[in-house]
């Protein structure tokens, strides 16, 4: 299943071909790091709702396996360190060993989980050896979920829903006895989004229409990301309109397209997402020549960390801060070289 990267990468190369004024307010405040305190044990049964229905637990779990970056994101947000993790986005990790590869999530928040394979094809034997009392996975790993449910209670997250990641975060807050922390995160996220929307109002007023392109290969590697792409939600909170060109079926959120689409759609801003090279650079692809020829369009090249998941609480808070800082600090008059 294609899971496009979330809204903002760690590095940007920006081209502003046409501009409008940017606000001068201060950058958003970074939220405090997640606490490392373990959840207290309880003798009362815990019953919560996930994307399938209800999940029943005998007590607060202390041995949790997270089977995707998105699942892991919820634990990071709540300050819970997993004993095991799965990932389809990392290279060079040794299955059955402590994970020690470069990663999007901070090391002190991640802890020392054992790597147990890919998110959609984890090692059931290694997961069972960890003796988890909870496994968190995603709806996209349907076959793996059926097998993991035989090992331990399984909580399945789905962020492509009307309530976004809020519902799963609140339910997992109940699981770990951290309801207040989950609600505080949501309140702070909403407050940041509201503040940034006000600060960025001059930008959205003159450049409201955004076209998202995921450019993942030099040839035959262009993906159109539409309003149902979960990574578009923070931009909508800022007041931008994510374009869904007529004639393109974006019901799944993403669609392979020809690079020529960038010249066919009237957009005020074009975001071109691209995986960075190992040395942190954004490679040059033929589509760059097309976007360079656009008139009255603001183009942003977004360098993407390949180990970063799609939408989830911690990742999206990072996105809010990054995109807000980008538009405020660089402003509409900034210009740098194309990749």
């Amino acid at each position: 299943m294609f899971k496009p990267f979330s809204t903002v990468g760690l590095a940007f190369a920006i081209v502003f071909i046409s501009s409008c004024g940017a606000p001068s307010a201060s950058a958003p405040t970074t939220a405090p790091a997640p606490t490392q305190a373990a959840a207290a044990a309880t003798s009362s049964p815990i019953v919560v709702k996930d994307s399938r229905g209800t999940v029943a637990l005998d007590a607060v779990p202390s041995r949790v396996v997270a089977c995707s970056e998105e699942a892991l994101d919820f634990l990071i947000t709540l300050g819970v360190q997993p004993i095991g993790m799965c990932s389809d986005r990392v290279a060079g990790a040794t299955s059955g060993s402590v994970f020690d590869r470069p990663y999007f999530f901070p090391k002190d928040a991640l802890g020392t989980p054992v790597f147990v394979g890919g998110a959609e094809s984890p090692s059931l034997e290694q997961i069972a050896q960890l003796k988890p009392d909870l496994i968190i996975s995603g709806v996209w790993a349907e076959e793996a979920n059926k097998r993991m449910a035989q090992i331990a209670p399984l909580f399945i997250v789905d962020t492509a829903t009307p309530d976004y990641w809020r519902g799963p975060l609140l339910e997992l807050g109940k699981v770990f006895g951290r309801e207040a922390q989950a609600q505080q995160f949501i309140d702070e996220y909403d407050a940041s989004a509201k503040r940034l929307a006000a600060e960025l109002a001059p930008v959205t007023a003159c450049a409201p229409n955004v076209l998202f392109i995921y450019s993942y290969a030099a040839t035959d590697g262009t993906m159109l990301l539409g309003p149902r792409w979960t990574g578009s939600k923070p931009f909508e909170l800022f007041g931008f309109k994510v374009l869904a060109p007529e004639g393109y079926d974006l019901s799944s959120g993403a669609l392979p397209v020809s690079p020529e689409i960038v010249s066919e759609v009237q957009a005020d801003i074009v975001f071109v997402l691209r995986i960075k090279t190992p040395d942190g650079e954004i490679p040059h692809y033929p589509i760059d020549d097309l976007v360079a020829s656009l008139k009255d369009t603001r183009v942003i090249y977004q360098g993407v960390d390949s180990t970063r998941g799609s939408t989830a609480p911690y990742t999206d808070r990072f996105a809010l801060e990054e995109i807000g800082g980008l538009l405020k600090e660089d402003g509409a008059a900034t210009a740098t070289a194309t990749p």
Side-chain angles (χ1 to χ4, degrees), residues 14-17 330-338:
I14 307 164
V15 179
F16 293 117
I17 300 175
D330 291 281
T334 301
T336 62
T338 58

Side-chain angles (χ1 to χ4, degrees), residues 181-249:
Q181 186 171 335
Q183 187 60 57
Q184 180 181 356
F185 181 94
I186 292 173
D187 292 343
E188 292 177 352
Y189 179 92
D190 289 343
S192 294
K194 184 176 181 180
R195 171 176 51 81
L196 286 167
E199 294 171 355
L200 296 173
V203 177
T204 57
C206 67
N209 300 310
V210 179
L211 181 70
F212 283 98
I213 297 293
Y214 176 36
S215 174
Y216 57 91
T219 58
D220 298 325
T222 303
M223 191 81 69
L224 176 63
L225 306 176
R228 297 191 65 177
W229 171 51
T230 51
S232 71
K233 291 184 182 292
F235 292 90
E236 293 176 355
L237 291 174
F238 290 157
F240 293 104
K241 178 182 179 181
V242 180
L243 297 177
E246 186 175 352
Y248 292 90
D249 182 8

Side-chain angles (χ1 to χ4, degrees), residues 233-266:
K233 291 184 182 292
F235 292 90
E236 293 176 355
L237 291 174
F238 290 157
F240 293 104
K241 178 182 179 181
V242 180
L243 297 177
E246 186 175 352
Y248 292 90
D249 182 8
L250 290 169
S251 58
S252 66
L255 181 72
V257 294
S258 167
E260 283 72 22
I261 191 173
V262 298
S263 59
E264 298 172 359
V265 179
Q266 295 296 316

Side-chain angles (χ1 to χ4, degrees), residues 129-302:
Q129 289 175 352
L130 293 175
K131 298 181 179 180
D133 47 16
L134 179 65
I135 300 171
I136 304 177
S137 185
V139 292
W140 50 84
E142 184 175 352
E143 291 303 315
N145 289 341
K146 293 177 182 178
R147 299 192 296 271
M148 290 189 293
Q150 300 175 18
I151 299 174
L154 182 67
F155 188 102
I156 299 179
V157 298
D158 182 5
T159 57
T161 60
D163 71 351
Y164 207 8
W165 39 256
R166 298 165 185 266
L169 180 61
L170 290 171
E171 292 300 300
L172 285 169
K174 297 176 185 177
V175 167
F176 295 105
R178 302 189 179 193
E179 300 99 319
Q181 186 171 335
Q183 187 60 57
Q184 180 181 356
F185 181 94
I186 292 173
D187 292 343
E188 292 177 352
Y189 179 92
D190 289 343
S192 294
K194 184 176 181 180
R195 171 176 51 81
L196 286 167
E199 294 171 355
L200 296 173
V203 177
T204 57
C206 67
N209 300 310
V210 179
L211 181 70
F212 283 98
I213 297 293
Y214 176 36
S215 174
Y216 57 91
T219 58
D220 298 325
T222 303
M223 191 81 69
L224 176 63
L225 306 176
R228 297 191 65 177
W229 171 51
T230 51
S232 71
K233 291 184 182 292
F235 292 90
E236 293 176 355
L237 291 174
F238 290 157
F240 293 104
K241 178 182 179 181
V242 180
L243 297 177
E246 186 175 352
Y248 292 90
D249 182 8
L250 290 169
S251 58
S252 66
L255 181 72
V257 294
S258 167
E260 283 72 22
I261 191 173
V262 298
S263 59
E264 298 172 359
V265 179
Q266 295 296 316
D268 300 307
I269 300 175
V270 174
F271 273 78
V272 181
L273 287 70
R274 187 170 301 157
I275 296 176
K276 295 180 292 185
T277 63
D279 58 0
E281 299 297 323
I282 300 178
H284 180 91
Y285 290 166
I287 191 176
D288 300 330
D289 298 327
L290 284 174
V291 297
S293 66
L294 298 177
K295 296 180 179 179
D296 300 324
T297 301
R298 182 177 176 179
V299 182
I300 300 177
Y301 286 90
Q302 180 179 327

